[in-house]
Amino acid sequence: MKKKSCTVIDHPLVQHKLSIMRMEETPCAEFRRLLREVSMLLAYEVTRDIPLAEIDIKTPITAMKAKVIDGKKITLVSILRAGNGILDGMLELIPSARVGHIGLYRDPETLVPVEYYFKMPPDISQRDIIVVDPMLATGNSAAAAISRIKEVSPLSIKFVCLIASPEGLDVFTEAHPDVPVFTASIDQKLNEHGYIVPGLGDAGDRIYGTK
Ligand code: URA
């Protein structure tokens, strides 16, 4: 079994922008703009080890072998709905990435995550997947989403969030020790309502202004 891995992206630009996102007075449009910017910076880190291929090109001076990535092999998977906020920023940096979506809700009686939407690009077995969701709170829905994605056998999976709770990180890495987690912060704890403390509130509501 592979070692559990969590990378905290502590770049000053990420931390600065995240702090403004956390402030309750930050308006929706500003929150969305910052999320887009932070997501680009997270994409920069999470794609650090993706393979490069060489192609033959000509500069105005001479021919050379130049390194390129195959963006089409990268698939970004958004956990609905808040994942779409990270997705938008990452797509600006990796415009040729393919995109999948997964929607889960928690059954109020059994508390088991139930899938209501699942759509992935074709040839998933040849694709490296980056799953995105801003808040790794209880870890249950993220772990369920990864289990579902594993059923379609992608080449590799990474998970990216903005803020993780220690509890959610434990649940997630116990369930999927083979999936590296990238986050901008591991916060203090989960509260009794399942919110991350100090966190930033409900990420979906803050992105879409639904509260
Ligand atoms: N989901 C959110 O959007 N925020 C939290 O703090 C926890 C779960």
Side-chain angles (χ1 to χ4, degrees):
M1 196 174 275
K2 259 183 145 182
K3 204 167 134 262
K4 296 175 191 177
S5 125
C6 176
T7 304
V8 178
I9 300 167
D10 57 0
H11 191 288
L13 281 172
V14 172
Q15 296 305 314
H16 176 85
K17 289 172 194 296
L18 176 60
S19 296
I20 301 170
M21 293 176 74
R22 289 181 188 274
M23 295 173 189
E24 63 179 342
E25 66 272 24
T26 299
C28 179
E30 173 83 345
F31 187 93
R32 234 182 309 203
R33 184 183 63 77
L34 288 161
L35 181 57
R36 210 185 89 246
E37 291 174 0
V38 170
S39 302
M40 288 195 254
L41 295 165
L42 298 181
Y44 178 81
E45 284 296 333
V46 76
T47 54
R48 189 173 276 287
D49 63 350
I50 57 175
L52 291 166
E54 283 195 339
I55 58 166
D56 294 307
I57 64 162
K58 268 193 195 158
T59 74
I61 312 297
T62 186
M64 70 170 287
K65 290 202 180 291
K67 293 180 172 46
V68 290
I69 59 165
D70 184 356
K72 288 186 191 134
K73 284 202 173 147
I74 300 176
T75 295
L76 303 173
V77 175
S78 165
I79 301 183
L80 297 172
R81 75 183 158 147
N84 283 1
I86 295 189
L87 176 66
D88 292 344
M90 288 201 171
L91 275 175
E92 286 201 31
L93 215 59
I94 320 168
S96 54
R98 300 306 195 241
V99 176
H101 292 90
I102 179 162
L104 302 165
Y105 70 90
R106 198 152 60 137
D107 184 296
E109 275 167 24
T110 63
L111 303 183
V112 173
V114 181
E115 176 184 316
Y116 65 87
Y117 191 77
F118 187 82
K119 186 91 180 168
M120 295 294 140
D123 306 327
I124 209 79
S125 60
Q126 285 149 48
R127 297 180 190 278
D128 294 305
I129 290 194
I130 300 170
V131 181
V132 298
D133 193 4
M135 309 300 272
L136 184 63
T138 63
N140 293 331
S141 48
I146 300 292
S147 298
R148 178 67 178 93
I149 292 164
K150 281 182 174 174
E151 286 175 19
V152 296
S153 305
L155 265 187
S156 70
I157 308 177
K158 291 172 180 168
F159 181 81
V160 180
C161 60
L162 207 52
I163 302 178
S165 72
E167 297 89 336
L169 207 47
D170 279 350
V171 166
F172 186 91
T173 54
E174 272 304 310
H176 300 292
D178 53 329
V179 176
V181 176
F182 295 78
T183 184
S185 177
I186 302 172
D187 274 11
Q188 284 165 23
K189 60 172 185 176
L190 268 188
N191 71 13
E192 62 279 20
H193 305 294
Y195 280 92
I196 299 177
V197 179
L200 49 70
D202 186 296
D205 284 342
R206 297 211 56 192
I207 296 167
Y208 299 113
T210 41
K211 204 168 189 183

